[in-house]
Amino acid sequence: MKTWTHLLVCSCLFLGMACAVQATEEDEYEEVVIVRRKKRPPAQEVNVIVAPAPVVAVPAQPAQAAKPAKPKPPEPPAVEASDPRRLVRYFCKAWKDEQWERMWWAMTPQFRKEVPLKKFKARFSDDAELNGGLLDENISDVSESNSGTTVKIELQFKFPNAKPRVVEAVARKIVGGQYRLTDSAILPVDLNDL
């Protein structure tokens, strides 16, 4: 019996070595990855006592549709509206970008009551058909007068044949110490009101 066991062990070793030689010849290997996780601590039991809520009778009201919040008007920023020269630059930048509503809000409240946004926009659109729209502005002088602060500006337009215009913009202080532009020569002539 000792011989048979010896023979069995030798054959197993021989087969194991043959397999090992074959595995190294083919350069195959198998990687075993062991992932260990920490055990979570057991959850503590909490006893919660829930008391019934008191019943309160509320009279039924008709459902009301939620009113959308009114968007804030695009008034000039306080920094821009604190100085007439800056307000004119703000106005001209909005003009170049064709942001009519921003320009309209840079005007005095009295002007906005008299001239609706649609009519205001039409004045600038009609003017752009003649000169291509504002290309650049050059502020030359600022002076005080009875009607407000006058800012002298040279307006240059996109069309090459359009001559530059030298105009005056009048800025007036409104409630709160902010400046707004009045109906002055900076605005194009209303071709529908001749």
Side-chain angles (χ1 to χ4, degrees):
M1 176 137 171
K2 192 174 184 182
T3 324
W4 287 102
T5 310
H6 189 355
L7 186 58
L8 184 61
V9 170
C10 286
S11 64
C12 285
L13 284 173
F14 178 74
L15 284 174
M17 286 173 45
C19 289
V21 169
Q22 185 180 12
T24 56
E25 288 176 0
E26 296 174 4
D27 290 327
E28 290 184 14
Y29 62 91
E30 186 174 313
E31 185 176 329
V32 178
V33 178
I34 299 174
V35 178
R36 294 186 182 193
R37 295 185 181 160
K38 289 185 177 181
K39 289 185 179 179
R40 293 185 183 182
Q44 295 179 349
E45 290 185 24
V46 178
N47 292 332
V48 178
I49 300 172
V50 179
V55 178
V56 179
V58 178
Q61 295 180 357
Q64 294 179 353
K67 292 182 180 179
K70 220 176 188 183
K72 190 175 179 182
E75 292 192 18
V79 173
E80 305 297 333
S82 65
D83 179 53
R85 182 184 295 256
R86 284 186 176 187
L87 182 63
V88 169
R89 290 248 186 249
Y90 172 85
F91 184 85
C92 290
K93 169 129 178 47
W95 188 351
K96 291 176 210 174
D97 297 339
E98 297 181 0
Q99 295 177 338
W100 314 122
E101 193 173 3
R102 282 180 50 203
M103 294 168 61
W104 189 67
W105 279 98
M107 304 302 290
T108 60
Q110 181 182 0
F111 176 84
R112 290 194 311 266
K113 284 180 186 175
E114 295 171 4
V115 180
L117 177 60
K118 188 175 181 180
K119 188 175 180 182
F120 183 79
K121 180 182 174 182
R123 284 172 81 167
F124 285 90
S125 297
D126 292 346
D127 188 60
E129 289 177 11
L130 301 174
N131 57 32
L134 186 66
L135 176 66
D136 199 12
E137 79 282 350
N138 186 16
I139 297 175
S140 60
D141 188 32
V142 178
S143 61
E144 295 290 329
S145 66
N146 292 340
S147 60
T149 304
T150 304
V151 181
K152 194 171 186 181
I153 315 153
E154 179 185 20
L155 302 174
Q156 299 169 1
F157 300 98
K158 292 179 183 174
F159 287 169
N161 294 339
K163 292 183 181 180
R165 276 189 237 160
V166 178
V167 296
E168 291 181 345
V170 178
R172 185 175 295 139
K173 273 191 181 182
I174 61 170
V175 177
Q178 301 284 315
Y179 283 96
R180 294 292 186 269
L181 297 176
T182 62
D183 190 2
S184 53
I186 192 171
L187 301 178
V189 175
D190 186 1
L191 298 177
N192 297 324
D193 193 29
L194 294 177

